[in-house]
Amino acid sequence: MGKALEGTAIGVTTSSVAVAEALQNLPRTAAELALEMPKIAYRLRYRAGLRTGDLPRSDADVMKLFEKIPGTSKLGGDERTIREFLSDKHGSHIIPRSQGGSNGANNIVWEIGVDNLRRGAEVMTVGEQFYIRVYNAVDSIICNSGTIARLGITATGTAILTQVIVTAISYSLDLYRGDITVEEYKNLIVEAAKAAGIATPIVFLILVAVLALFPEFAVILSAPMVVAGFNALFGMSIAMPIVQSLLRHAQAGGFGIETADACRNALGGSTPA
């Protein structure tokens, strides 16, 4: 498990450097955006939640909305790729206009159109904002896996592992939201692991480790439905001690012996292979 976590950490670090370099040449001002990506610039300034007769957005708000588009959709500065990500998204108001919400970028998130319409005039909850943020990140990675691979991020087996973990995270989000059942979650994770040729315990351990690295995922890890889904993978209650240990070490700034022991003990005294 230690080697697997180390490999994931190296992959994440390598990815971060490659992504940062690939994003260096993106437009930095609204004027540059209008010149290099005119269709995107037009949508951010005059649409994305605006109605006929509304004042266009300021340069600052245009760039704030541009920044809210996941970086993996902006790799290479390809306008077509960004438009593909936005093709099914609305500029959704966190606080609806009917309740005094503004058209400013701070009150707008990119959300699947059908979800925005389904909510209607209700205020967007913190949980919904969180889900949208993570969904967009996963959606962007999946849609742009080819571009990411061309950057050299996905060398060796990191590509396969990354794809499986992203898939597993998306299933965890679906389970957390109630879109799938525990049994469906179990079957989907097992099938994803089989398709990639990776043992299910390894997928599980890497999944919770990756989730624990991001504080905003704590709500998912601690959700009873998701813990039940984790446990269903093995037919026993092993998720909670692993999750608690990983979260504790993540909060302390690192992983150590306690994590490895908790994982080994929860899995019956042996390291999964």
Side-chain angles (χ1 to χ4, degrees):
M1 180 188 130
K3 290 183 178 180
L5 286 174
E6 181 181 358
T8 299
I10 292 173
V12 170
T13 301
T14 303
S15 300
S16 298
V17 173
V19 168
E21 291 178 350
L23 295 176
Q24 284 182 349
N25 297 323
L26 286 173
R28 300 299 178 185
T29 66
E32 290 180 0
L33 183 65
L35 181 63
E36 299 174 26
M37 304 179 184
K39 293 182 179 179
I40 298 295
Y42 181 88
R43 178 171 181 179
L44 302 189
R45 191 177 293 277
Y46 299 104
R47 298 176 59 192
L50 294 182
R51 299 175 181 173
T52 302
D54 287 343
L55 293 175
R57 290 193 174 88
S58 66
D59 287 355
D61 270 352
V62 166
M63 295 312 295
K64 283 182 180 180
L65 284 181
F66 185 66
E67 291 169 3
K68 289 188 176 186
I69 299 171
T72 44
S73 285
K74 294 184 287 192
L75 295 174
D78 187 341
E79 184 177 27
R80 180 188 58 80
T81 302
I82 299 174
R83 291 181 65 196
E84 182 178 349
F85 168 78
L86 294 175
S87 62
D88 60 352
K89 308 295 190 302
H90 283 184
S92 297
H93 292 77
I94 296 173
I95 301 176
R97 292 178 49 140
S98 61
Q99 299 195 42
S102 75
N103 288 324
N106 290 336
N107 193 46
I108 298 291
V109 295
W110 297 112
E111 182 184 22
I112 295 293
V114 292
D115 291 341
N116 179 38
L117 296 175
R118 186 183 300 119
R119 186 181 310 102
E122 296 180 4
V123 174
M124 191 181 296
T125 67
V126 173
E128 287 174 326
Q129 294 177 54
F130 164 77
Y131 179 88
I132 291 167
R133 176 182 175 186
V134 178
Y135 178 92
N136 285 347
V138 173
D139 183 40
S140 180
I141 291 172
I142 293 173
C143 290
N144 297 286
S145 57
T147 302
I148 295 171
R150 286 194 293 275
L151 291 175
I153 294 173
T154 54
T156 65
T158 305
I160 297 175
L161 181 60
T162 300
Q163 181 179 356
V164 173
I165 295 305
V166 167
T167 301
I169 289 175
S170 68
Y171 291 150
S172 298
L173 288 169
D174 289 338
L175 179 61
Y176 173 75
R177 201 181 191 191
D179 292 340
I180 59 177
T181 66
V182 168
E183 189 62 25
E184 288 172 331
Y185 175 81
K186 171 186 174 182
N187 293 335
L188 288 168
I189 295 292
V190 171
E191 288 304 313
K194 286 182 179 178
I198 302 174
T200 305
I202 291 294
V203 173
F204 166 75
L205 291 174
I206 300 295
L207 171 62
V208 293
V210 170
L211 289 177
L213 288 171
F214 300 92
E216 60 194 11
F217 279 112
V219 63
I220 289 182
L221 283 177
S222 59
M225 185 65 73
V226 177
V227 170
F230 287 164
N231 289 337
L233 289 171
F234 304 94
M236 62 184 80
S237 297
I238 70 166
M240 190 51 70
I242 297 176
V243 168
Q244 289 177 340
S245 181
L246 286 169
L247 285 174
R248 191 159 54 248
H249 280 282
Q251 292 167 353
F255 298 99
I257 296 175
E258 184 181 349
T259 303
D261 288 343
C263 293
R264 182 168 52 253
N265 293 336
L267 290 169
S270 62
T271 302

